[in-house]
Each structure stands twice: as structure tokens, then as C-alpha cells.
């Protein structure tokens, strides 16, 4: 079997319906589908039962977090590649999977772009290229939901680290690509619509804390310092460049705000600065 799609859900019935519609509508059929539900009470379980004839495996029971749920899926998966398409995410077009697997690639990780729907930053494309650097893997990582990962890598490296709530996939990708030198192939099209209102965007302080833990686990103190300085410099430069291109007009300030909201190190301070800017503008207009 070519692919196992693993969908994790908890009390997101409407989002799960979007995911279901996109998966059952795919023209490519050489896949199995696994849904791991965390014991939802919003009607998700009944929805899963309704579509159970499309599923190779499903369960609805309490779990210990999103990566615990994903690991449950990995343990029962039989596909050569695994894709983690969580509830609320949906495949870009009905022939997305066909486009991917008609390429007949054999790399360890195949990935494409993700169209992110972020309630704070707006819609934007997350699309790192095949030559992604170690720095980028610790800053933005690969788009997890737009990646197809060889099942065998999990057998070699191990499952997702459940001590992380949000960035265990970042840690996994870094270890697989940088430490184990697993091969990559970048497909030149968008794979998924990604629901950016989920846990990682709601808990930016946790993202930052856990990202620093990942950095601690892979980099020495000297290189960790270099990384953090470089990261701050790059983000600051982007903000300054954007400011030079904009005026004080609210429309352009909002564009700057959306840009900076994409990066966890600047999100909180950007929200505060933007609110101050808008408040100041309104007071001037009174």
C-alpha cells in the first residue's frame, strides 16, 4: 500500500467534515485512512461512524495529546508513506494525491506547499524549498500536513516525542534530515489547505518554549547563541524592510502586522504594537 493518511481529531466536527470530504473525493485510491479521535463529545464520533466504510481503522478514546494520537496512528499504519492530515485540514484539489504519486518518487520525505488560513495573519503560502537549511528547519520546519514521510523512518528514529505538545514534528524533521541525512523531494504545487487556528497558533509561548528545547537538544551552547542571534537579526530585518515600504496608513500597517504575525518570536509584541498604533491613529482622528 502506497500511503496511510492519519487524521487526528478532538471536538472539531465541522473541521473533520472538511477533511473527510477532501479525502473521499480523491481520484488516487492506493491509500488507507486512519482516524484517531480523542474521545470527542461534539458529534465527531458519530460522524466517523457514518464514514467508517472509508476507514481502515478508527478509534475514539481519550489520549495524552496530539502526538500521542499520531503515534497511535503510526503503530497501526501499513502504508509505505504516512501523511498527517488533521481535522480542519483538507487536500488542495481532488487530484492532489494522484499528482504526488504519479511522480513515482522514492525519496524519504516528499513535501509541497501548504496554504495556511491563519485568523491573525491572514492567508499565506508556507513553501520551503528542497534545499531547506538547518536554520530554517529550526525556524519554520517543513509543513507537516503537506509532507509524505516514509514509514520506515519512524522505525529507525522512533515515534514522535510525546514530551512536546506542539513541535515534536519539528524535532523529528531535524533529526531525520540533518542528523540522519534522509533524502527530500519538493513537489512544485500546493498539497493542502491548513487550518491555522489550531493549537500551535493559539499557544505561541509554548511554541517558543518548545522550540528552544529542540534547539537545546541539537545545538551546543555556542551554536545555540549564534542561532538565536541570527534568527532575531533576520526577523528584525524583515520588519524594518517592511516598514520602509509602508506609510502610517492603516491599510499598510495591517499588511506589516500580517507579515510579522507569521513568526512566533514576533507575534506577541507585534499584536501589542499594532494595537498601540491603531489606538494612536484613532485618537488623532477624534
Amino acid at each position: 500500500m502506497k500511503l496511510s493518511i492519519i487524521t487526528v481529531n478532538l471536538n472539531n466536527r465541522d473541521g473533520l467534515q472538511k477533511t473527510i470530504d477532501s479525502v473521499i473525493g480523491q481520484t488516487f485510491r492506493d491509500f488507507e485512512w486512519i482516524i484517531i479521535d480523542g474521545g470527542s463529545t461534539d458529534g465527531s464520533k458519530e460522524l466517523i461512524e457514518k464514514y467508517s466504510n472509508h476507514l481502515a481503522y478508527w478509534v475514539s478514546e481519550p489520549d495524552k495529546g496530539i502526538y500521542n494520537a499520531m503515534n497511535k496512528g503510526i503503530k497501526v499504519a501499513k502504508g509505505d508513506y504516512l501523511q498527517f492530515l488533521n481535522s480542519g485540514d483538507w487536500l488542495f484539489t481532488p487530484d492532489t494525491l494522484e499528482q504526488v504519486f504519479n511522480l513515482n518518487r522514492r525519496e524519504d520525505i516528499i513535501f509541497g506547499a501548504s496554504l495556511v488560513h491563519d485568523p491573525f495573519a491572514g492567508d499565506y503560502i508556507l513553501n520551503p524549498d528542497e534545499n531547506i537549511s538547518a536554520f530554517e528547519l529550526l525556524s519554520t520546519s517543513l509543513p507537516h500536513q503537506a509532507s509524505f514521510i516514509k514509514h520506515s523512518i519512524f522505525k529507525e528514529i522512533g515515534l514522535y516525542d510525546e514530551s512536546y505538545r506542539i513541535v515534536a514534528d519539528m524535532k523529528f524533521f531535524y533529526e531525520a534530515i540533518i542528523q540522519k541525512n534522509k533524502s527530500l523531494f519538493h513537489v512544485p504545487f500546493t498539497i493542502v489547505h491548513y487550518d491555522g487556528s489550531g493549537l500551535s497558533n493559539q499557544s505561541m509561548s509554548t511554541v517558543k518554549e518548545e522550540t528552544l528545547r529542540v534547539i537545546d537538544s541539537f545545538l551546543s551552547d555556542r551554536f545555540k547563541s549564534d542561532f538565536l542571534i541570527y534568527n532575531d537579526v533576520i526577523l528584525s530585518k524583515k520588519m524594518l524592510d517592511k516598514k520602509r515600504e509602508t506609510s502610517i496608513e492603516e491599510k499598510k500597517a495591517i499588511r506589516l502586522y500580517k507579515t510579522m504575525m507569521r513568526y512566533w518570536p514576533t507575534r506577541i509584541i507585534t499584536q501589542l504594537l499594532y494595537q498601540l498604533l491603531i489606538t494612536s491613529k484613532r485618537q488623532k482622528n477624534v
Side-chain angles (χ1 to χ4, degrees):
M1 185 176 298
K2 199 68 177 177
L3 174 67
S4 295
I5 300 173
I6 298 172
T7 297
V8 171
N9 177 72
L10 178 61
N11 290 325
N12 186 22
R13 186 190 185 284
D14 292 343
L16 182 59
Q17 182 69 69
K18 285 185 180 181
T19 309
I20 288 171
D21 291 341
S22 78
V23 172
I24 65 176
Q26 287 298 301
T27 55
F28 177 85
R29 303 310 304 171
D30 190 13
F31 68 87
E32 65 172 1
W33 191 15
I34 296 163
I35 296 182
I36 308 296
D37 180 73
S40 296
T41 58
D42 69 339
S44 292
K45 181 178 179 181
E46 291 74 17
L47 184 65
I48 296 168
E49 290 174 333
K50 177 181 176 181
Y51 291 94
S52 60
N53 60 311
H54 295 279
L55 303 174
Y57 177 90
W58 72 273
V59 66
S60 181
E61 63 185 15
D63 54 50
K64 299 175 183 177
I66 189 170
Y67 293 110
N68 176 249
M70 289 181 183
N71 286 340
K72 287 182 182 181
I74 295 169
K75 289 175 183 177
V76 300
K78 296 180 175 63
D80 299 319
Y81 285 90
L82 308 184
Q83 182 191 19
F84 298 90
L85 187 72
N86 292 334
S87 64
D89 304 335
W90 67 101
L91 293 160
F92 200 68
T93 61
D95 64 345
T96 293
L97 296 181
E98 186 174 0
Q99 289 184 66
V100 172
F101 289 102
N102 277 352
L103 295 171
N104 292 316
R105 305 301 306 190
R106 297 290 184 269
E107 283 79 5
D108 297 308
I109 300 171
I110 300 168
F111 69 98
S114 177
L115 175 55
V116 182
H117 302 284
D118 190 319
F120 298 104
D123 295 351
Y124 62 92
I125 293 287
L126 180 60
N127 190 27
D129 63 34
E130 190 171 336
N131 298 315
I132 187 169
S133 66
F135 168 77
E136 290 174 303
L137 279 172
L138 291 177
S139 297
T140 59
S141 194
L142 295 183
H144 192 205
Q145 65 287 338
S147 299
F148 303 87
I149 306 166
K150 271 191 177 177
H151 197 169
S152 58
I153 302 178
F154 290 98
K155 296 176 182 177
E156 178 182 349
I157 294 177
L159 302 177
Y160 288 119
D161 186 341
E162 295 179 18
S163 69
Y164 291 85
R165 290 182 57 227
I166 297 176
V167 304
D169 52 295
M170 173 191 286
K171 181 184 179 186
F172 175 86
F173 280 135
Y174 191 91
E175 186 171 4
I177 297 166
I178 302 302
Q179 293 194 323
K180 300 297 184 181
N181 198 32
K182 297 302 180 183
S183 57
L184 292 173
F185 179 75
H186 176 249
V187 297
F189 47 83
T190 303
I191 302 295
V192 299
H193 293 269
Y194 169 59
D195 179 7
S197 63
L199 179 64
S200 61
N201 276 353
Q202 294 172 7
S203 307
M204 298 312 298
S205 60
T206 303
V207 173
K208 182 173 182 178
E209 175 189 335
E210 291 191 352
T211 301
L212 291 174
R213 278 182 57 202
V214 174
I215 294 168
D216 279 336
S217 67
F218 289 120
L219 302 181
S220 67
D221 287 342
R222 190 182 70 129
F223 287 108
K224 180 177 70 173
S225 175
D226 288 347
F227 170 84
L228 293 174
I229 292 171
Y230 183 41
N231 193 50
D232 288 343
V233 168
I234 293 298
L235 292 175
S236 297
K237 183 178 184 300
K238 287 180 179 178
M239 183 165 60
L240 290 172
D241 288 345
K242 194 68 179 179
K243 281 182 177 178
R244 291 189 190 105
E245 296 170 2
T246 62
S247 70
I248 199 65
E249 298 173 24
E250 185 171 324
K251 182 177 179 181
K252 293 185 178 181
I254 290 173
R255 192 178 303 131
L256 170 61
Y257 167 77
K258 287 182 176 181
T259 300
M260 298 312 301
M261 286 293 289
R262 297 177 190 176
Y263 305 96
W264 59 258
T266 58
R267 174 167 290 195
I268 295 174
I269 189 64
T270 301
Q271 285 179 299
L272 294 173
L273 288 173
Y274 177 70
Q275 290 302 321
L276 288 172
L277 175 65
I278 297 303
T279 300
S280 175
K281 183 174 177 62
R282 285 173 179 165
Q283 288 175 346
K284 289 179 180 179
N285 292 335
V286 171

